[in-house]
Amino acid sequence: MINRPLRFATFLAPSIFPVYQFIAEYVGQRLGCVTQLVVGESFGQFASGDVDIGFICGLPYVQLTQLDPPPIELLAAPVLRGERYRGRPVYYSDVIVRRDSPFQSFADLRGRSWSYNDLDSHSGYGITRYQLVRMGETSGYFGRVMEAGWHQESIRLVCCGQVDASAIDSQVLEVALRDDPSLTEQLRVIDTLGPSSIQPVVAAIHLPDSLKADLRAALLSISDDREARERLAHGLFERFGAVTDATYDDIREMLAAAERAGFLTIR
């Protein structure tokens, strides 16, 4: 154990922050230590020692593992509630448009406006880039592309007609639809990209191996607690499952395909 609070950081959607807060607190109780959760500012915080445990997207995980040495190590990954996930640590990117728009599939979006949450997002950016590579559309498929900052902002931009479409993390979209049922009258899903390996929980490599083992065990057993299951359900988490580096080969291969095509920036 280390003689200071364990520093957790989330680099993911703000709408799931309360669940990440609960997870950090629960792990602290299990390990008998104080924990803190902050919003991550830079993935360099793992190497600098400013962050110990992180909730991060699969794309930056893959990119961080390319460093020598990698500043992070896998702990576990969530398994989401719902038939579409089939008990696997995966999620989807749902392509949304306004309900009254004429678009019926991704193929209808040529020349239209598109928003993404941020460049480090697999669900909003990486898998969209891969979809365009697969289609052979690397020379300006969309008419306009804008960065929204968060999936929730992309949802708002689509609903108010400021952009035509966006790819939204399925977990974030399902939580948004649950919390604001009126959204079902404003938007619809016209396509689904994925599945992709879901965002993992990682530990900074500087943590002692024994502590990383304890963290992993706490996450893998959290769903054994009935009250914890109820809190996890708010973010659509069913449980946490074991993953290995190879779990993220799908995202690794999508990134490699974009690199081979010389298409790292959607335009």
Side-chain angles (χ1 to χ4, degrees):
M1 189 59 64
I2 55 179
N3 297 317
R4 58 168 174 77
L6 274 177
R7 296 181 289 249
F8 285 70
T10 173
F11 295 83
L12 302 176
S15 60
I16 316 296
F17 186 94
V19 183
Y20 298 135
Q21 180 76 64
F22 166 73
I23 292 168
E25 293 171 354
Y26 180 90
V27 169
Q29 292 170 3
R30 281 286 305 273
L31 273 57
C33 65
V34 176
T35 58
Q36 300 171 337
L37 176 68
V38 299
V39 175
E41 299 177 357
S42 163
F43 297 114
Q45 290 177 286
F46 291 107
S48 68
D50 292 333
V51 167
D52 300 312
I53 301 102
F55 304 96
I56 70 172
C57 184
L59 179 57
Y61 167 75
V62 165
Q63 293 170 322
L64 288 170
T65 61
Q66 295 173 342
L67 301 179
D68 186 18
I72 56 169
E73 180 180 318
L74 284 172
L75 291 177
V79 174
L80 299 179
R81 293 170 175 261
E83 183 177 347
R84 73 192 299 198
Y85 305 109
R86 300 181 182 178
R88 301 168 297 164
V90 302
Y91 71 129
Y92 294 84
S93 296
D94 290 325
V95 179
I96 62 167
V97 298
R98 277 178 59 96
R99 180 160 290 279
D100 59 1
S101 76
F103 314 118
Q104 298 299 317
S105 71
F106 192 94
D108 295 332
L109 299 176
R110 180 188 297 277
R112 301 298 179 172
S113 55
W114 179 268
S115 73
Y116 62 91
N117 50 338
D118 66 73
L119 295 171
D120 293 317
S121 169
H122 175 70
S123 59
Y125 198 85
I127 198 167
T128 303
R129 180 175 58 197
Y130 176 67
Q131 173 73 4
L132 292 171
V133 169
R134 290 181 61 208
M135 295 169 63
E137 296 286 357
T138 59
S139 300
Y141 184 70
F142 298 115
R144 177 168 59 93
V145 179
M146 66 176 295
E147 181 173 349
W150 300 104
H151 280 302
Q152 292 92 331
E153 178 64 9
S154 283
I155 292 172
R156 187 193 69 80
L157 291 171
V158 171
C159 286
C160 71
Q162 288 185 250
V163 296
D164 291 312
S166 182
I168 308 296
D169 176 323
S170 60
Q171 178 189 17
V172 175
L173 182 59
E174 288 174 31
V175 168
L177 292 171
R178 179 199 65 198
D179 293 346
D180 183 2
S182 70
L183 287 176
T184 61
E185 301 173 0
Q186 302 176 59
L187 60 82
R188 56 189 170 86
V189 174
I190 60 168
D191 222 328
T192 295
L193 310 179
S196 302
S197 297
I198 201 166
Q199 303 96 333
V201 187
V202 300
I205 203 70
H206 66 253
L207 293 181
D209 288 343
S210 59
L211 177 53
K212 286 183 282 193
D214 290 342
L215 288 164
R216 187 175 290 111
L219 289 168
L220 294 178
S221 63
I222 190 171
S223 59
D224 295 340
D225 184 306
R226 182 181 60 82
E227 182 178 348
R229 287 198 303 272
E230 294 175 356
R231 297 288 297 275
L232 291 173
H234 182 74
L236 301 185
F237 294 114
E238 179 72 39
R239 58 183 173 84
F240 281 88
V243 288
T244 67
D245 181 68
T247 302
Y248 293 88
D249 281 349
D250 60 329
I251 296 175
R252 196 169 276 119
E253 291 166 5
M254 293 184 208
L255 175 59
E259 290 172 339
R260 288 192 299 271
F263 184 62
L264 292 177
T265 302
I266 295 175
R267 53 187 183 274

